[in-house]
Amino acid sequence: MRIAVIGTGVVGRTLAQGLQRAGHDVVVGTRDPGETSAREEWTGLGVPLQPLATVAADAEVVVNATYGLASLSALGEVGSDHLAGKVLLDVANPLDFSQGFPPTLSVKDTDSLAEQVQRAFPDARVVKALNTVTASVMVDPGSVGDGDTTVFAAGDDAEARQVVVGLLRDLGWIDVVELDGLHNARGLEMWLPLWVRLMGALGTSEFNLKLVR
Amino acid sequence: MRIAVIGTGVVGRTLAQGLQRAGHDVVVGTRDPGETSAREEWTGLGVPLQPLATVAADAEVVVNATYGLASLSALGEVGSDHLAGKVLLDVANPLDFSQGFPPTLSVKDTDSLAEQVQRAFPDARVVKALNTVTASVMVDPGSVGDGDTTVFAAGDDAEARQVVVGLLRDLGWIDVVELDGLHNARGLEMWLPLWVRLMGALGTSEFNLKLVR
């Protein structure tokens, strides 16, 4: 599929490479392609960079891999016309580090970042997924335990969820739990306060939960 | 050990029976022992009931198994003198159902019910545990999957955590993750918004997470 990844941090870079490895046609959106391509970690990466304003024009799927507090602004630069009708895979978390570690959530409980994105871009088909694991695990679920841990896909649009589930399978995910309704993103984002503390206690971000039932 | 369980709902009843089965000397605190003992579900249960004001006088461990929104008030009736120096195992969740299902949390992110309890009763040794699973799983972890799912014990007092870890082992828990610091209860309580949604999606409360690392 033609996928535009928004965000040039470790999550955007890792996802772009992972999706490209899985055979997809990936382009990464950034405010300043020249500046980004000059960074050491982007050198020789082989992932094309484009300005935010054009990156999603031909995309079938747009991935929000920006910092949560900057997501609405970055997606605004992508443009609602370029998001309309597209599957918008939201992997971001509304983590607020302004008071230090552990971070708090800038939105929670009665709302979520995913729902804010959906309200800001009502014609996009938002699906929340992958925000519950660290970047390296997103694209390599086999790196944790026996590789059979759980990932979630929450959204209002069943067809969009199916597209995301397909991408998750391409990345190697076996146990995908679909949640009908984007409000479920509240639960997925509120996993983060436990996740960051477990990262501290375990001394690694390379872990995940397996939903046992 | 001598354990006083506060709360006569399904959590209190199930925990009292489970701890008694595990060989502990259990008494349950209730506002009105006569009223509680007359309820069908308490008939022939063989767990002694006592008024809140006296139930914890001789206890080594006090279990807060009340509804989260009523915990501070109920523990107030137990009395700070009877909680002083005691291990206070807090299994309650600050679930607010006033707006329907799914519930929201009455405290979260920058504070937790467990920390509220600790501040209200500074001489108690509060440990948060078991709030992440349904009552039947608390006392029978073997009922989920292969029985090897994860439970957490968070608290400031290492010795109190060890007492709770011992009780968890008595109940059959194998994978116990200790978290140093009661602020970790924020993460454990914020698991609930995902938990209630998974319960809806799975159609059962008999599930749990396994922490895979």
Side-chain angles (χ1 to χ4, degrees), chain A residues 104-105 108-109 144-145 149 152 179 183-184 186-188 190 193-194 197-198 201 207-212, chain B residues 104-105 108-109 144-145 149 152 179 183-184 186-188 190 193-194 197-198 201 207-212:
Chain A
T104 56
L105 298 180
K108 64 221 153 209
D109 209 16
V144 174
T149 61
F152 304 91
L179 297 169
H183 74 88
N184 288 291
R186 298 175 197 177
L188 298 178
M190 288 174 84
L194 182 52
R197 287 171 172 87
L198 291 173
F207 67 90
N208 191 21
L209 68 86
K210 168 70 182 178
L211 187 61
V212 183
Chain B
T104 57
L105 298 180
K108 64 221 154 210
D109 209 15
V144 173
T149 60
F152 305 91
L179 297 168
H183 74 87
N184 289 290
R186 298 176 198 177
L188 298 179
M190 288 174 84
L194 182 53
R197 288 172 171 86
L198 291 173
F207 66 90
N208 191 21
L209 67 85
K210 168 70 182 178
L211 187 62
V212 184

Side-chain angles (χ1 to χ4, degrees), chain B residues 71-86:
Chain B
S71 292
L72 291 172
S73 150
L75 291 170
E77 292 190 46
V78 173
S80 44
D81 51 336
H82 287 170
L83 295 173
K86 310 280 172 70

Side-chain angles (χ1 to χ4, degrees), chain A residues 18-62:
Chain A
L19 290 165
Q20 195 180 53
R21 260 199 313 270
H24 294 287
D25 182 5
V26 179
V27 56
V28 170
T30 173
R31 287 211 169 80
D32 185 343
E35 186 275 327
T36 302
S37 62
R39 288 189 223 159
E40 190 184 340
E41 67 267 27
W42 283 91
T43 304
L45 213 61
V47 181
L49 294 159
Q50 274 190 33
L52 291 175
T54 58
V55 69
D58 296 324
E60 296 163 286
V61 175
V62 179

Side-chain angles (χ1 to χ4, degrees), chain B residues 14 74-75 99:
Chain B
T14 305
L75 291 170
Q99 306 301 313

Side-chain angles (χ1 to χ4, degrees), chain B residues 22 138-142 147-148 166-176:
Chain B
M138 289 182 186
V139 300
D140 186 13
D148 184 23
L167 293 178
L168 296 172
R169 302 255 180 250
D170 293 344
L171 292 171
W173 287 96
I174 300 164
D175 185 26
V176 180

Side-chain angles (χ1 to χ4, degrees), chain B residues 152-173:
Chain B
F152 305 91
D156 294 328
D157 182 322
E159 205 178 273
R161 284 203 310 269
Q162 278 313 304
V163 170
V164 167
V165 170
L167 293 178
L168 296 172
R169 302 255 180 250
D170 293 344
L171 292 171
W173 287 96

